[in-house]
Amino acid sequence: MKTGTLELQISVKFKWWVNPYISTLKLFCLTLGIEPNYDKVGEFIAKHGFVVNKAIKCQEHTQ
């Protein structure tokens, strides 16, 4: 019977432009007195604003 261990490490970070984008959007909305479409902003950041690094380590043991 084979057994083993699996180690998974995921690192999720924002890209460099996300914080300036949010600050600029906030300033724009305050200046014009409008509200952003939070769903569209969230979808855009989720689609383009993340850096995901994965590391997988697998070890098999035989008995």
Side-chain angles (χ1 to χ4, degrees):
M1 173 193 249
K2 290 184 180 181
T3 61
T5 59
L6 178 65
E7 184 179 317
L8 174 63
Q9 182 178 358
I10 299 175
S11 172
V12 179
K13 298 178 183 178
F14 286 114
K15 291 187 178 177
W16 68 268
W17 56 264
V18 173
N19 284 332
Y21 170 77
I22 292 172
S23 297
T24 304
L25 179 65
K26 194 158 102 176
L27 177 64
F28 180 75
C29 290
L30 287 171
T31 303
L32 297 178
I34 60 175
E35 288 288 321
N37 185 331
Y38 295 106
D39 292 332
K40 286 185 179 180
V41 172
E43 288 174 9
F44 180 78
I45 292 173
K47 185 175 181 180
H48 301 288
F50 288 109
V51 175
V52 179
N53 294 319
K54 300 175 210 166
I56 300 173
K57 184 178 177 183
C58 182
Q59 294 179 341
E60 281 189 19
H61 305 285
T62 53
Q63 293 181 347

